Each structure stands twice: as C-alpha cells, then as structure tokens.
Amino acid sequence: MAARYYDGVTAEVKEVGAKWGIGELLVYRLTDFSIVARWRLEDIVVLGDTEHEAVPAISVKGSDARLIVEDPALKAELSRVDYVAAIEAPRPRPARRIATFGAAVVALIGVFWGIVDYGSEYAAPLVPYRLQASLGRQVRADLMAGHNVCTGTDGLAAINTLANSLASAGGLSHPVQVTIVKGGPVNAFTLPGGYLVFYSDLIKEAKDGDEVAGVVAHEIGHAVNDHPMKGMVRQYGVETMLKLLTGGYSDIGTLGSGGSLLLALRNGRGFERAADAEGIRLLEKRGLRADGMSRFFEEMMQHEPADPALSLGIWSDHPPTAERIAATRRPPTGRSAFTDKEWKALQSVCD
Amino acid sequence: MQEVTPAGATTEPILLDRTPSRPVYDGKLGELYAIYLRHLALMILTLGWSRFWGRTRLRRYLWNHFAILGDRFEYRGRGIELFIGFILVVLILGCWAGLVWLFWHFVLEKRAMPGFGLFDLFYLSVAFIGFPLAFVGQYAGLRYRLSRTRWRGIRGTLGGSAWTYGAMAALLTAANAMTAQLMTPLVSVNLARPRLSNAAIGTQRLEFAGRAGDIYGRYLGYYFLNIFLWIVVFAGAATAIGIGGARFGIDLDKIHTLFAKPGLYTILAIVIAVLVLYTLFGLLILPVRCWWQAYLFRYLVARTRAGGVLFATALSTRHMWGFMVVNYLILLLTLGLGWPWVTHRTLRLIADQLWIYGVPDGASIRQPADRGPRYGEGLLDMFDVSGV
C-alpha cells in the first residue's frame, strides 16, 4: 500500500507507506521501512475536501510537507482516525447538486428580475431630486453638444408655463424645464430631474398649439411617473444580472445586452401607454383641450402609413400608433393650451 | 535514454532521462458544473461579492485534477486574499478619483466644455491608465496564482517587475497597433519571455529561448494571406448580396428605403447580411488565423524548458479551431453558462497535446524563500476580465 510523500523542502518524491502509531502517524519508506516522518495527531490537517480536491493532501500545521494517499485500501485504513477522515469523505453526487443549484440560479434570476422590474417602481422616486437633476443636466449637456438651441424668450416662456402647469397638476414637487433644439427629428423626450427636450421640427409639423400641448402633456406624463429614472434603474439592474451570470465576458455581454434592450423596449412601450393616459388626464384636469394628442398621432400615421411600431412588434419602443390614437381620442372641448400670441411665439422660437 | 554532451564540456558524457510523458486531467464536467452553479447562485445572491471565494473553489478543483508526472497540482489561495486585493485597488482608484476631481474643480470647471463633464474626465483618465494597468494586473495576477500553486509541495514563483512588464506590454501593443499589427511576432515573443523565463517551481526556473526572427517569415505569409482573404470575403459578400438582391428585385433605392423606414424586412436584411459575412469569415479567415495561432503555440512551447526537461506540442490547426472558435461559440451561445465546459475542453486539450520530455531531479528543486504577495488580483479584477 503506497502513498507519495513530499518533504516540503525539495521536490523529491518518496514512495512511502503510512500507519497509525500511538498518538502519531508514521510515514516510512517502503524499501527499508525507515521512518520518514512522524506526525503528532493533534498537528495533522487535511488540506481541502473531496468536493474540490481529487486527493486532499494530509499535512501538519505550519509545514510544507504532504502525504498524498490515492491507494483506496490505505485511504480506508488511515481514515478510520477522525483527524484524517476527510480524505475518505464521499464525493458529492454532481447530478443532484447541479439540479439543486441550477434551480436556485433560475429562481434567483426570477427574483432578481422581479426586484428590478417591480422594485424600480418604488426605488426610482426615492432617488433624491438633486441627483436626478444633476444626471439630467449631464445627459442634456451631452446630447446638446454640437446642436443649436432655440432661444426665443416668449416661445420658451409659453411652453415652459404650460409644462409647469401640467407638472403641478400631476403633483410633481419640482419645476420642469423645456429646451428646444433646432431641427429634427420630429421628436421629444424627457430626462431625469424634469428636463424636457423638444426638437423644433415637431413644432413645425404640428397643425396647432393643442397638438404641441398634447406632446407636452405626454412628456409630463413621463416625468410625473418617474419613467426616466425607472428605465435607468431597470436597465442597470438587468445589466448587473447579466454581468453576474456571464462573468463579464465582453462579447457575451454584447449578446446579453440584447435581452437588456428587449426589456428597455418593453419598458418603453409600457411607459408610452402610461404617459399617454397621464397626459390626457392632466390636460383634462386643467380644463384644456385634450384632442391634440390623438390628432398629432393621426398626422404621424399619414406621414408613415406603414407603422414601424406595428411591424417591429417587440423590437419597437413605442406601441402601434393606431392603438395610441384609439386610446387618446377625445372630443375637441375645453380651452386651448396656448393663446394665438403664444402659439406664434412658439412657432418662431428658433428664428 | 539519450547521450548528451554539453557544449564545451570535456568531462564524461551525461546521460539525461528524456522519457516522454503527458499531463493528466481527470476532472469531470458534472462535478465542475456543480461547483460553478453554486458559485453562480451565490454571485446573484451577493451581487457579485462572492466571486473571490467562488473563483478560489473552482481553481482548487481544476488544479487538483491536473497532474504532471503523477503529481497533482494544489491551489492554496484563499478568497479573502482576492477580496482584500480588490478592496485595495478600489481604495487606490478612490484616491485617483479625488485627484481627478481636484484637477476638474481647480483647472477645468471654469472653462466651459459642452458635453464634457467630470464623469467624462474620470472615465477618460481611467481608460488611459487602465490600458497599461491591465497588463500590470495580468503579470501581478500570474505571480499571485503561481505563488498559490504547489507541485510536490513546492510553491511556484514569478520574478521580475509587474510594472516593467506593464510598461513594455503597453508600449509594444501600442506600437503594434500603429504598425498595422506587423510587429506581432516581436510582441508575442517579448511578452512571452518574462512570463516564462521568470516563472519557476521552487528553485527550478523555466527557460525561454524564443526569438521573433524565427517566426517572422511565417507571420508575414499569414499577414498578407489574411489581407488577401479579407478582400475576397468582402468581394464575395458584396457579390452574394448583390446577386441575391437582383434575384429578388432589390436595388439601391429599395435598400435605402429599407433602412430609412425600419421594419421587419430591415431586421431580416441585416440578419442575412451578417450571416453571409460570418459564413465567409468563418470559412476563409478563421482557419488561417487558427493555423498561425497553432504555429505560434508550438513555437513558444518548444522553446521553453525547465532544466533538463523539454516541452513540445503537436497542436494543429484543427485543435486551435476547437480551442478558439468552438470554445467562443459555446460561450456565446450559452450566454457564458458554458464556461465550465470550455475550461474542461481546454484542460483536456492541454493534457492531450502537451508532451514533457524528461523528469526533473526533484532533490535539486528546493522550496523558495519567497512566499509571494499577501493579496492578489485586485488590478486584474478591476481592469481586466479576471477569469479562473
């Protein structure tokens, strides 16, 4: 019954036998039975375990010497003494462990996803306004770099007054600020901290002030519901999970970010529906005409009859336009959001 | 047994035992997966903070299931050492962030720079220092791992300066990029040299006798063949897409419309174009790249020895294809969950393809006085993908 012994001083291998003496382990040469090492029981340690190590080494505290026992008979004999019983511990069966830990991973992904998806509803509003505003300003500065910003005082005052009036109707505790960028596309978006960005082409394409007011109300709907922060929290959460799962392999992350993108797009569709509904509610609460939003969508449909949102399906960040028109259609009642003078000032805000 | 007379020696010929052997890897994929999935579950539960301990467990398994000359390796690193190493680097980075803030506050803030904020400056500075520091981290990480690796109870070591290696690696990599990768043999050999010739098991150092000049001829052949094949790939892809387009009545105007107003067909067109390009790339470029990498590996291994022990490998283009391409696809298609499988395949490949000629004189290899760094891999964890 042979084992291998390393003395910890040199890399020489000795073929040895081992047996229990009185209160000690004796390691001896097989050739002449001369004692190679005598280890006191209380000093003996097993390095590692049978889950990780194929052959856990036997050693003594503070020593580099090792006794490697692969022979099953010798292993069984030595392991009768508790001090080294660990060398003969049954190897854990992988199938059961894979099933257990695999199920745990799947369950934890579900819990993590749930926390990110639903927890962000509650976590996003808790982010201090100062931080949200600082983030919004930073993103706005990055986006505005190299673009002309419109400076028409009266036009900006008109749109900002409307935006703040709707925001306060929605219970927003901080002011909002609208910036208008010269040119296209026909679009507007909301950043954290209540920073709204409109492109002047949107104002140019609108038939009247109520259509622009519909878009303003929609954007305020995003701000009131904390959509920008929620979107960021969710995206960050999913990216974190992917990184944890993939170990940070960059290329895998790229592929994995497809999942993150899908979530962002799903968020996008949900957020757009909620912002439409909130916008209509706010306009009606202020006694303003709420038909502008659906009319604006109808004009978008006329420009693009083949609605990309419909054909892209889950790849679209907006719901189908026809669905939005149906959901936001209202009668032309109430007063206009802008006076004629304000509407004219808004139309010439970039001149 | 082979008779060898050392150059210049006048004494009796020395007989060296050059009996060939191969390493043995006897790990089981199921066992490795059990450890890995536990690590993953804990990673999610602790938001990644358990990675230091998980990595250590995986190494313990892999090291101890790999043996040379009948003696298994042993990994004696501890998770806490990796954790402290990481925290130290976080603290250093915190100090760096403070310095960047001071620079921003007193120098840059008053000069209006649209679109360039404090965070941009910080990320830019980290990217700038991160490039050389990633190399420093690689070397320091290797030093840590070797110091926690034992074979026959003897610790591994890695001499040399991680900072010197980092500076050299950053300069060589930058120079290689500026010379359109024409310096690749020089970079490969000069970066392999410190990693190999400074490494040792106990007092037995490895020796590396590689020279870039030996492999330049083949590299130039590969280099220009690679360029030629890229031209072929692009011409082939353009022709295939053009012919396909003409057959289905798609002209440039329609393609323009397709991208101006994205829809389901746009996604389909992108998928087809990517598939065509990837297929051509896979059939033409990758085999040539694998051929070069296999040759480089064979060269680096054959020019390395440990005293009287020589190394060789018959790693072929097909093996390298399995190592580079198949492993990559496994990782990609399993979203990283195939990592244990890839590691298992890689260790089996090493065990199958590495030949060791000779047996070291164990009695002459002594335990080193150097116990290695107290903590490890913080830089690697911060600036690089620090795998197992």
Side-chain angles (χ1 to χ4, degrees):
Chain A
M1 290 193 291
R4 288 165 90 80
Y5 176 78
Y6 317 135
D7 62 14
V9 178
T10 71
E12 193 179 7
V13 185
K14 294 184 178 81
E15 294 283 323
V16 295
K19 63 188 289 185
W20 292 112
I22 300 167
E24 62 184 0
L25 178 68
L26 300 172
V27 182
Y28 57 89
R29 279 182 200 279
L30 287 173
T31 45
D32 57 4
F33 301 107
S34 58
I35 301 290
V36 173
R38 297 171 68 171
W39 289 345
R40 292 194 313 168
L41 269 182
E42 57 270 31
D43 293 336
I44 292 176
V45 285
V46 173
L47 304 171
D49 53 54
T50 51
E51 181 191 347
H52 300 91
E53 277 77 17
V55 185
I58 303 171
S59 184
V60 280
K61 288 171 195 160
S63 166
D64 292 320
R66 304 280 191 267
L67 179 66
I68 310 293
V69 184
E70 297 214 34
D71 180 66
L74 182 57
K75 209 189 269 189
E77 189 179 320
L78 292 180
S79 66
R80 284 189 291 120
V81 175
D82 283 350
Y83 288 93
V84 296
I87 61 167
E88 188 69 333
R91 296 182 79 79
R93 291 187 180 281
R96 210 165 125 189
R97 291 165 62 80
I98 288 171
T100 308
F101 293 128
V105 168
V106 172
L108 284 167
I109 290 172
V111 170
F112 195 94
W113 185 281
I115 290 172
V116 167
D117 204 17
Y118 296 105
S120 59
E121 286 285 330
Y122 304 99
L126 298 178
V127 178
Y129 169 67
R130 238 181 104 186
L131 187 65
Q132 290 195 35
S134 159
L135 198 64
R137 274 196 300 274
Q138 178 73 37
V139 177
R140 188 179 61 170
D142 286 349
L143 291 170
M144 299 295 102
H147 288 85
N148 290 326
V149 176
C150 304
T151 52
T153 323
D154 293 343
L156 282 174
I159 199 166
N160 273 292
T161 304
L162 173 67
N164 278 289
S165 163
L166 294 171
S168 105
L172 212 60
S173 58
H174 55 80
V176 295
Q177 192 183 349
V178 183
T179 306
I180 301 174
V181 180
K182 192 169 185 178
V186 179
N187 201 6
F189 53 86
T190 306
L191 297 169
Y195 290 98
L196 276 60
V197 177
F198 275 64
Y199 287 93
S200 67
D201 279 6
L202 185 147
I203 297 165
K204 205 157 61 178
E205 292 288 323
K207 289 279 184 294
D208 56 41
D210 292 324
E211 288 190 7
V212 175
V215 181
V216 172
H218 168 89
E219 295 306 325
I220 294 297
H222 281 310
V224 166
N225 286 301
D226 283 308
H227 287 164
M229 278 313 293
K230 283 177 189 170
M232 283 180 72
V233 169
R234 286 179 192 184
Q235 188 137 355
Y236 181 73
V238 173
E239 278 172 12
T240 304
M241 188 174 70
L242 281 168
K243 203 168 177 193
L244 293 178
L245 282 174
T246 61
Y249 295 108
S250 54
D251 290 324
I252 305 302
T254 309
L255 191 76
S257 65
S260 166
L261 178 68
L262 272 181
L263 180 83
L265 295 172
R266 184 175 75 84
N267 283 337
R269 291 191 299 277
F271 288 170
E272 293 306 318
R273 288 188 182 104
D276 286 349
E278 184 70 23
I280 294 288
R281 191 184 73 80
L282 295 177
L283 286 167
E284 288 174 337
K285 192 174 176 184
R286 283 285 184 229
L288 301 173
R289 279 182 65 160
D291 62 323
M293 196 186 289
S294 63
R295 282 197 285 114
F296 185 77
F297 292 145
E298 278 166 353
E299 271 147 36
M300 279 168 64
M301 275 282 270
Q302 279 171 8
H303 280 291
E304 280 190 54
D307 181 9
L310 196 64
S311 50
L312 286 172
I314 60 163
W315 295 100
S316 170
D317 60 348
H318 281 66
T321 312
E323 178 198 312
R324 300 180 77 183
I325 292 169
T328 57
R329 187 168 284 138
R330 293 292 184 279
T333 52
R335 61 189 166 80
S336 283
F338 299 110
T339 63
D340 286 347
K341 193 179 161 198
E342 283 174 333
W343 174 231
K344 278 193 182 122
L346 192 54
Q347 283 177 302
S348 57
V349 70
C350 299
D351 297 342
Chain B
M1 301 283 255
Q2 191 182 346
E3 199 171 280
V4 175
T5 308
T10 52
T11 52
E12 290 291 306
I14 299 167
L15 293 175
L16 289 181
D17 180 1
R18 288 272 161 78
T19 311
S21 67
R22 281 188 298 180
V24 173
Y25 171 66
D26 59 2
K28 292 189 173 61
L29 188 56
E31 290 175 351
L32 189 56
Y33 254 106
I35 298 171
Y36 180 71
L37 287 174
R38 176 183 167 182
H39 161 59
L40 267 193
L42 287 171
M43 284 278 281
I44 300 173
L45 209 58
T46 62
L47 293 178
W49 287 99
S50 67
R51 65 181 181 278
F52 312 104
W53 288 269
R55 201 179 291 159
T56 301
R57 283 199 192 93
L58 286 161
R59 282 180 189 165
R60 276 172 54 196
Y61 183 88
L62 296 169
W63 264 238
N64 205 242
H65 286 80
F66 198 84
I68 286 181
L69 297 168
D71 297 294
R72 293 175 185 276
F73 284 89
E74 195 186 320
Y75 183 74
R76 303 303 315 157
R78 294 163 65 209
I80 190 79
E81 294 167 349
L82 300 180
F83 173 70
I84 294 174
F86 176 73
I87 294 295
L88 287 175
V89 171
V90 169
L91 290 175
I92 292 168
L93 211 62
C95 294
W96 176 257
L99 288 174
V100 170
W101 182 83
L102 287 173
F103 181 67
W104 169 261
H105 187 68
F106 291 108
V107 181
L108 292 180
E109 197 175 15
K110 289 180 182 69
R111 299 176 193 180
M113 282 188 290
F116 190 80
L118 175 61
F119 287 107
D120 298 305
L121 179 67
F122 180 68
Y123 286 126
L124 194 70
S125 72
V126 169
F128 186 70
I129 60 165
F131 178 60
L133 278 184
F135 291 114
V136 175
Q138 280 174 11
Y139 199 84
L142 182 61
R143 193 198 313 276
Y144 171 81
R145 284 194 298 280
L146 276 173
S147 72
R148 299 308 190 263
T149 299
R150 285 168 185 257
W151 184 69
R152 294 184 177 176
I154 302 294
R155 283 188 298 278
T157 59
L158 182 71
S161 159
W163 295 100
T164 307
Y165 177 84
M168 185 175 72
L171 284 174
L172 281 173
T173 308
N176 198 25
M178 284 188 281
T179 54
Q181 309 295 322
L182 273 165
M183 287 173 67
T184 296
L186 209 64
V187 176
S188 303
V189 169
N190 283 298
L191 293 189
R193 184 174 292 115
R195 292 162 70 101
L196 288 167
S197 56
N198 288 334
I201 281 285
T203 50
Q204 179 62 67
R205 287 178 77 138
L206 293 181
E207 292 162 66
F208 178 67
R211 291 184 319 120
D214 295 344
I215 56 175
Y216 243 110
R218 283 211 190 199
Y219 179 73
L220 288 176
Y222 156 74
Y223 185 85
F224 289 109
L225 182 62
N226 198 32
I227 292 173
F228 171 73
L229 288 173
W230 271 110
I231 295 168
V232 171
V233 162
F234 273 106
T239 311
I241 292 168
I243 290 171
R247 196 165 174 177
F248 294 103
I250 299 169
D251 54 21
L252 274 178
D253 282 345
K254 282 187 180 164
I255 291 172
H256 184 256
T257 315
L258 203 64
F259 285 94
K261 291 177 181 176
L264 203 60
Y265 287 114
T266 316
I267 295 172
L268 204 65
I270 292 171
V271 169
I272 290 171
V274 168
L275 276 178
V276 169
L277 205 64
Y278 260 71
T279 308
L280 287 170
F281 177 76
L283 289 175
L284 292 173
I285 307 282
L286 282 181
V288 182
R289 192 161 290 183
C290 290
W291 169 80
W292 160 252
Q293 286 295 338
Y295 169 72
L296 181 65
F297 262 68
R298 288 198 302 269
Y299 178 80
L300 295 177
V301 170
R303 291 297 182 280
T304 304
R305 66 177 192 154
V309 179
L310 307 180
F311 302 97
T313 175
L315 201 72
S316 65
T317 304
R318 185 176 62 82
H319 292 128
M320 194 49 80
W321 177 275
F323 176 64
M324 286 172 67
V325 183
V326 179
N327 282 355
Y328 175 78
L329 286 175
I330 290 173
L331 282 176
L332 195 74
L333 298 175
T334 59
L335 289 177
L337 291 176
W339 180 87
W341 187 14
V342 164
T343 307
H344 189 73
R345 282 169 49 85
T346 304
L347 286 175
R348 276 202 320 206
L349 178 70
I350 295 171
D352 284 347
Q353 296 302 323
L354 179 64
W355 284 93
I356 301 161
Y357 290 87
V359 177
D361 174 16
S364 68
I365 301 173
R366 304 189 69 79
Q367 188 75 268
D370 177 17
R371 302 193 81 86
R374 290 176 68 188
Y375 312 113
E377 299 189 353
L379 271 176
L380 203 58
D381 208 59
M382 185 64 76
F383 291 109
D384 195 18
V385 178
S386 53
V388 169

